[in-house]
Amino acid sequence: MAGTASAIAIELREAGKAFGEVVALTGINLLVPRQSRVGFVGPSGGGKTTLLRIVAGLLESDTGLVRVEDASTARQRLAHCALMPQRDLLLPWRTALDNAAIAVENRGASRAEARRRTRPLFERFGLASFENARPVQLSGGMRQRVSFLRTLMAEKNILLLDEPFGALDSITRAQLQEWLVQAMDAVPRTVLLVTHDIEEALLLSQRVVVLSQRPGRVVRVLEADHGFVGSRREIVTSP
């Protein structure tokens, strides 16, 4: 992926990771421009989630260079990234509003201030009137919206989405994919998305990176920038 140094949000050069004798990733080279959306697909066990965790600063690469917004150490990278895991991990004793606002509290704001800053986004994210609902009272799709809003409220430039809709039924997943495109358009970020759903990768990404079986390596980068114009069906069936 070409780009000037100032336009690059994420850079990986010969990055790799092993867990004991198991090599998860090897020789990963990638440049991700700022405010672009890159999807990762490949076989299970090919290191996709490991790659996200390295970028996020939750793991350190054993080899090469990993740089995020000019930060190269794991601790520094963590300051630039917000990770949305496969499960929503909402706290059951907190309301939907307080779950979304926890990212603001973690930066030192009071709970009242965190609520004030988060509440206006509930209507935009299709959660109006559910601010005081507990997670058990929310559908799977609504829980994922709260989870994404919590990730967004961290106000990081890099969003890392690890199979965000993998646990949902196909109809709900399709609806949330269309919703997420609109949400990311409204608040532009650099986005890395891991998914096993090829259509989801095409719909949500401008580029799709294909990883091999373990040890994961980049085998192909596909341009998929359709301009995000048209319905989900039109986009995923377009030649």
Side-chain angles (χ1 to χ4, degrees), residues 72-121:
S72 55
T73 69
R75 188 180 188 89
Q76 292 169 337
R77 297 197 304 273
L78 186 61
H80 293 283
C81 298
L83 174 67
M84 180 178 173
Q86 296 176 20
R87 297 174 57 198
D88 60 68
L89 300 179
L90 300 183
L91 301 178
W93 59 88
R94 279 188 169 234
T95 64
L97 178 61
D98 286 343
N99 266 288
I102 197 169
V104 184
E105 290 182 61
N106 286 343
R107 300 201 310 278
S110 67
R111 183 170 295 189
E113 173 64 13
R115 287 171 175 169
R116 185 190 68 79
R117 292 168 59 180
T118 307
R119 189 183 299 274
L121 292 176

Side-chain angles (χ1 to χ4, degrees), residues 163-177:
E163 297 190 63
F165 307 137
L168 302 177
D169 65 87
S170 59
I171 294 176
T172 302
R173 184 165 62 245
Q175 293 171 341
L176 282 186
Q177 287 166 354

Side-chain angles (χ1 to χ4, degrees), residues 35-37 152 155-157 159 184 187-191:
Q35 295 191 1
S36 64
R37 306 174 194 171
L152 202 62
E155 295 186 351
K156 304 295 177 69
N157 292 328
L159 298 184
M184 292 190 297
V187 189
R189 296 284 193 277
T190 303
V191 179

Side-chain angles (χ1 to χ4, degrees), residues 116-138:
R116 185 190 68 79
R117 292 168 59 180
T118 307
R119 189 183 299 274
L121 292 176
F122 264 62
E123 182 172 359
R124 182 193 297 180
F125 280 61
L127 294 165
S129 78
F130 287 92
E131 291 88 345
N132 296 320
R134 305 286 179 182
V136 71
Q137 298 171 302
L138 301 175

